[in-house]
Amino acid sequence: MKIDSSSDAAAAQRFRIGYAFAPKKEQSFIQPSLLDHASQNGIDFVPISITDSSSEEEAAEALIQQGPFHCIIHKLYGHRWNHQLKQYSSKYPQTLILDSPDSIERLHNRVSMLQVVSALKLNSQFNISVSVPKQVVLQNPQSPDSIHNNTNDGAVEFPVIAKPLLANGSAKSHEMYLVFDPKGLQNLLLTNTTTSASTQPILLQQFVNHGEVVFKVYVIGQYVQCVKRSSLPDISERQLTASEGQVLPFSQISNSPQPQEEDEHGLGLAHDPHEMPPSDFVEELARGIRLGLKLNFFNFDVIRDSGNPRSYFVIDINYFPGYAKLPSYEQVLTKFLLALLTTPTQKDRQLEPATTEEEEEEEEEEMLPSGSYPNS
């Protein structure tokens, strides 16, 4: 099967975009409004059928048979799916895979995902610092020595957010706790053995007071959209003292409705916590993370220090977030894909199966005039 993408057929060109998501993700992202808008602009979204009942090679061949696609967008994880994509790409190397599994894999570890932030060099004109909160990893959470050694050397100070080191989108990867002091950490890890935090490596990320506001920055290629969401409340010294040994569980609090425009805690904030960060700063930050991660679809969470409006912290990065929550996401995604697929280097490509060396030699022989031979 051949999909003509020559410049002569550009006006009538239609692009096949294969997509592979878990059922819940597909239901939220592939909306009728997206399909309609994309279709009106020459893009056909095609669901990729995934089967778990066959062998890896059979599954890879099944994906190949569903092609070719101009582009594949996906949010599936694991060796099996990565193998299918690799085999498909060897057959149809012209197909764009968004995004590379190797680049996505970096976001599955809460330490490696944020290393890109530490390497950023933002324009000094902003006079803004961007960093990652102090954090340590407990490889063996059930070991008292591990807890003591990692929380008594100044590497991290309480309160902390305890998170699973693994961030793969599973329910357990969202089990997070606000821990007020070492006693609370021991209570969480040594006495409550029913939580995933008690058995798997966990990350202790220092809690930073941030005015109960988190800024979520959505990225689709060069498109950047920053929205404001409510977050955990600031913690005063009095509250910290009164919360000895306490652990507060929470899950995805940043997705709750926008906070009220008032300071309920009387902490004497140095700025209005609800003020949006400068747009040019957000765009440069997003660009730096995008280039560093080599990803097109992601969002990241940014907080601003309550005591210093020039100090920001990136606390989390997620692959292929809930774009359907954004206004006009249909137009944004369609525009991005069209721009990508109609670049001079991409639009003149033809999606044909890759030829083997033997096939190339046979084609060369057919084109040679009588009495000529291919070079040895």
Side-chain angles (χ1 to χ4, degrees):
M1 180 181 178
K2 172 181 174 182
I3 297 182
D4 186 5
S5 54
S6 64
S7 56
D8 293 337
Q13 176 68 49
R14 297 197 68 82
F15 298 102
R16 295 185 80 234
I17 309 297
Y19 63 85
F21 302 117
K24 185 177 180 181
K25 183 67 177 180
E26 179 177 342
Q27 183 179 14
S28 65
F29 179 72
I30 303 298
Q31 297 289 322
S33 58
L34 172 63
L35 299 179
D36 291 344
H37 182 78
S39 179
Q40 293 171 15
N41 287 272
I43 289 180
D44 297 315
F45 281 101
V46 181
I48 294 176
S49 177
I50 304 295
T51 175
D52 295 327
S53 59
S54 58
S55 68
E56 281 191 357
E57 295 306 320
E58 289 173 335
E61 182 60 27
L63 175 58
I64 291 172
Q65 292 301 318
Q66 294 177 68
F69 302 102
H70 290 93
C71 175
I72 292 178
I73 60 176
H74 65 104
K75 190 179 182 180
L76 296 177
Y77 305 132
H79 170 78
R80 182 183 176 90
W81 172 244
N82 293 350
H83 177 73
Q84 292 177 52
L85 283 179
K86 183 177 180 180
Q87 294 298 103
Y88 174 91
S89 294
S90 67
K91 186 71 172 179
Y92 294 110
Q94 298 91 346
T95 297
L96 295 176
I97 306 296
L98 301 180
D99 282 301
S100 161
D102 289 340
S103 296
I104 298 172
E105 182 69 25
R106 186 172 179 177
L107 299 188
H108 293 172
N109 180 295
R110 284 195 164 91
V111 171
S112 63
M113 75 162 59
L114 295 177
Q115 288 174 342
V116 65
V117 178
S118 301
L120 288 177
K121 295 182 179 179
L122 298 180
N123 194 321
S124 60
Q125 73 177 23
F126 297 120
N127 191 27
I128 292 175
S129 68
V130 179
S131 59
V132 176
K134 292 181 179 180
Q135 51 190 28
V136 296
V137 176
L138 299 183
Q139 294 291 350
N140 185 9
Q142 290 186 312
S143 167
D145 290 339
S146 175
I147 298 174
H148 177 80
N149 294 337
N150 284 282
T151 59
N152 286 274
D153 59 0
V156 65
E157 300 175 5
F158 288 90
V160 299
I161 301 295
K163 314 176 180 182
L165 180 63
L166 181 65
N168 60 1
S170 67
K172 287 189 176 296
S173 70
H174 291 293
E175 289 183 357
M176 304 183 192
Y177 304 85
L178 176 60
V179 183
F180 290 89
D181 55 20
K183 182 178 179 180
L185 183 61
Q186 290 185 350
N187 291 338
L188 173 66
L189 301 180
L190 301 181
T191 63
N192 189 357
T193 58
T194 62
T195 67
S196 60
S198 65
T199 57
Q200 300 297 323
I202 67 168
L203 177 75
L204 301 182
Q205 187 179 79
Q206 187 165 317
F207 179 80
V208 178
N209 282 338
H210 52 283
E212 205 172 344
V213 175
V214 61
F215 302 104
K216 301 185 79 71
V217 182
Y218 291 82
V219 178
I220 300 179
Q222 296 184 32
Y223 172 85
V224 178
Q225 177 69 50
C226 180
V227 299
K228 180 172 52 177
R229 295 289 184 266
S230 66
S231 182
L232 292 175
D234 285 0
I235 302 172
S236 66
E237 288 294 332
R238 179 180 58 81
Q239 290 172 313
L240 189 60
T241 302
S243 303
E244 180 181 358
Q246 290 189 21
V247 175
L248 174 65
F250 70 99
S251 176
Q252 301 173 324
I253 292 180
S254 61
N255 286 327
S256 56
Q258 255 183 234
Q260 298 297 316
E261 304 274 333
E262 57 181 296
D263 177 12
E264 299 178 353
H265 307 286
L267 296 177
L269 302 181
H271 61 281
D272 177 5
H274 306 279
E275 180 182 354
M276 297 294 287
S279 58
D280 51 354
F281 157 70
V282 172
E283 290 174 1
E284 178 160 337
L285 177 58
R287 178 179 181 275
I289 295 177
R290 173 172 59 85
L291 295 178
L293 293 176
K294 298 179 180 179
L295 293 173
N296 290 283
F297 300 120
F298 64 95
N299 77 348
F300 57 96
D301 294 349
V302 184
I303 58 175
R304 180 169 49 208
D305 191 337
S306 291
N308 182 0
R310 295 290 180 180
S311 179
Y312 288 79
F313 296 88
V314 178
I315 58 175
D316 196 23
I317 305 176
N318 301 286
Y319 184 67
F320 219 113
Y323 289 120
K325 301 173 186 176
L326 298 178
S328 304
Y329 89 103
E330 304 91 342
Q331 290 90 330
V332 173
L333 181 66
T334 299
K335 182 178 180 180
F336 164 74
L337 291 172
L338 286 175
L340 202 63
L341 294 168
T342 56
T343 58
T345 57
Q346 187 68 25
K347 70 179 181 180
D348 293 328
R349 286 174 148 186
Q350 292 186 348
L351 299 186
E352 299 177 306
T355 56
T356 63
E357 291 183 3
E358 291 79 5
E359 290 172 334
E360 289 176 350
E361 187 170 293
E362 290 176 1
E363 291 176 359
E364 187 176 356
E365 288 176 348
E366 292 175 358
M367 292 186 293
L368 289 172
S370 177
S372 299
Y373 298 88
N375 294 329
S376 59

